[in-house]
Amino acid sequence: MRSRLYALVAAGGFRRYATYRAATWAGVFTNTVFGFILAYTYTALWTQRPHLGGYELPQALAYVWIGQALLAAASLMGGGFENDLMERIRTGEIVTDLYRPADLQLWWLAADLGRSAFQLLGRGVVPMAVGSLAFEVAVPSPWWRWPAFLVSVFLGFVVSFALRYLVALSAFWLLDGAGVSQLSWLAGMFFSGMLLPLNLFPGTLGEVARALPWSALLQVPADVYLGVRSGWDLLVAYAFQAGWAVALLTVGRLLQAAATRRVVVQGG
């Protein structure tokens, strides 16, 4: 019964964002325009520095359009459920949520996965298709790399949720979670590889960036798509993403329990 409940919540999250048709098309247009800007920038950069980061130019261009496809779906620039949850915490409506016969974390996870699924289909497919027609973009081969890529994308969605859930829960202890949200957004943009592939980061900075959870949102799925991760390395990539997902969700559950105790004590 509980699994059916969360499936319905996920479907509701999908339908909720599907109703914003004008916003979806505006997002498609924006992602496509920025994709072209980045693609031409990458073309100029890779023309001067071939094989930069271990990528050929078609691979670098594919990286650009993967980033645009995952920008909204993986919330690389923030957005999603966290603002709603922080508002419910601020107004005290969260008390109602905590007394519901459903797990708070799983409820919001299901809703956010529904949102991510719609954003991937609604705002991700078209820009990537346009980019593939306009540029020489690397395409996964053999065929099984597509489902392998989607598994990595799903794990990235879970890591993204877990990070933003921690940001939202900070509102229990802070008067305003906007500062934490802004810091998370900046870290996500830099350390996910959205600005530049993490393979281009030098020395220790690159090693640290690739070890942080934000790399699971874009850099790891892109490497799976491009075939950089295959065989045993593919399993290592999945383990890396799943490990961060479990660790962050566990921390989120501990903070959730502490927040619940705080609410109960204050209510008493």
Side-chain angles (χ1 to χ4, degrees), residues 25-37:
W25 283 112
V28 168
F29 176 77
T30 303
N31 288 152
T32 304
V33 169
F34 275 98
F36 271 87
I37 294 172

Side-chain angles (χ1 to χ4, degrees), residues 184-234:
S184 176
W185 172 74
L186 291 173
M189 282 291 291
F190 187 78
F191 289 113
S192 67
M194 186 65 208
L195 299 178
L196 279 173
L198 300 182
N199 295 346
L200 273 62
F201 288 18
T204 302
L205 175 61
E207 293 177 5
V208 171
R210 287 188 290 273
L212 291 174
W214 291 281
S215 67
L217 278 57
L218 172 56
Q219 183 66 60
V220 174
D223 282 343
V224 172
Y225 176 98
L226 295 171
V228 176
R229 301 275 196 160
S230 60
W232 176 252
D233 283 342
L234 178 60

Side-chain angles (χ1 to χ4, degrees), residues 14-59:
F14 187 98
R15 287 196 302 271
R16 174 188 175 187
Y17 282 85
T19 59
Y20 302 127
R21 297 179 182 177
T24 298
W25 283 112
V28 168
F29 176 77
T30 303
N31 288 152
T32 304
V33 169
F34 275 98
F36 271 87
I37 294 172
L38 287 173
Y40 283 120
T41 302
Y42 274 41
T43 298
L45 182 59
W46 258 261
T47 299
Q48 295 297 317
R49 297 284 302 277
H51 314 298
L52 189 62
Y55 294 149
E56 301 291 341
L57 178 58
Q59 291 178 308

